[in-house]
Amino acid sequence: EPEVTQTPSHQVTQMGQEVILRCVPISNHLYFYWYRQILGQKVEFLVSFYNNEISEKSEIFDDQFSVERPDGSNFTLKIRSTKLEDSAMYFCASSLDMLSYNEQFFGPGTRLTVL
Amino acid sequence: EDKVVQSPLSLVVHEGDTVTLNCSYEVTNFRSLLWYKQEKKAPTFLFMLTSSGIEKKSGRLSSILDKKELFSILNITATQTGDSAIYLCAVGQGAQKLVFGQGTRLTINP
């Protein structure tokens, strides 16, 4: 069964460093998303991406964050200068098309630890 | 402020019991309500509900949406230890995003 994959599974970085989290969405899906879950808290929406541009973003997704689809398969989230409060599990998700866009399938997540 | 509230936050039952998990919401531009099961990491999709009163079933799991009263329930019958997980309710808002509840941690004891 097709699935969303994410790498790395765990990333440890120093405060102020840049990190890139990588995702490979399901191959025929057109909509891509990033969510994060701080330990013990709710899953929170960060950004959605369609047709090579951001279609919606949350207040959390400030200038330190960016997303990119560098090729036909990868979808990345970059945090330019990490802060302690960026420590969280980051989930990538994808959905098929406009009719089923809310039916999002999630990857296994990348646990980001900022020291 | 948009919110999705799940209850109970935690539930412990014995194998074979039936459980009902609740989700209420106040979200602008509602499009759908989704249930996910989260075991170790990734939320795994269970159901998507868009219409009131139509029950969706998958094996021992079923769910229904009430768009007038703004809530949904997830039922699990004849529970098994493998059903132990966090169950997440999420509302599809507008075109893109999901607004999640805090989850219900379900523990099934043998």
Side-chain angles (χ1 to χ4, degrees), chain A residues 9 31 33 35 37 42-43 45 48 55-56 89 91 98 101-108, chain B residues 4 31-32 34 36 38 41-43 45 48 88 92-98 100-102:
Chain A
S9 57
Y31 294 80
Y33 314 84
Y35 291 81
Q37 187 176 30
K42 296 182 183 185
V43 176
F45 170 81
S48 58
S55 44
E56 187 172 352
M89 181 74 89
F91 292 108
M98 199 61 174
Y101 52 72
N102 282 164
E103 190 171 333
Q104 297 177 19
F105 294 88
F106 284 75
Chain B
V4 177
R31 294 301 296 270
S32 58
L34 297 91
Y36 287 87
Q38 187 176 28
K41 286 188 179 178
F45 175 80
M48 183 175 72
L88 299 174
Q93 181 181 43
Q96 305 293 335
K97 74 186 217 187
L98 298 180
F100 280 85
Q102 70 275 53

Side-chain angles (χ1 to χ4, degrees), chain B residues 6-101:
Chain B
Q6 293 185 243
S7 63
L9 293 180
S10 180
L11 186 58
V12 181
V13 300
H14 290 291
E15 207 168 15
D17 289 351
T18 293
V19 297
T20 298
L21 309 183
N22 303 292
C23 176
S24 64
Y25 62 91
E26 289 179 38
V27 174
T28 55
N29 204 6
F30 172 93
R31 294 301 296 270
S32 58
L33 187 141
L34 297 91
W35 285 96
Y36 287 87
K37 179 181 182 182
Q38 187 176 28
E39 292 178 269
K40 295 204 174 139
K41 286 188 179 178
T44 305
F45 175 80
L46 294 174
F47 296 112
M48 183 175 72
L49 303 151
T50 55
S51 301
S52 264
I54 299 174
E55 185 183 53
K56 289 217 172 176
K57 279 186 73 99
S58 176
R60 297 176 293 103
L61 278 66
S62 64
S63 184
I64 197 160
L65 172 66
D66 185 328
K67 289 168 74 173
K68 184 179 174 188
E69 300 298 328
L70 307 183
F71 79 90
S72 173
I73 59 172
L74 175 69
N75 279 321
I76 309 175
T77 59
T79 51
Q80 301 170 357
T81 54
D83 295 327
S84 294
I86 296 173
Y87 289 82
L88 299 174
C89 172
V91 171
Q93 181 181 43
Q96 305 293 335
K97 74 186 217 187
L98 298 180
V99 180
F100 280 85

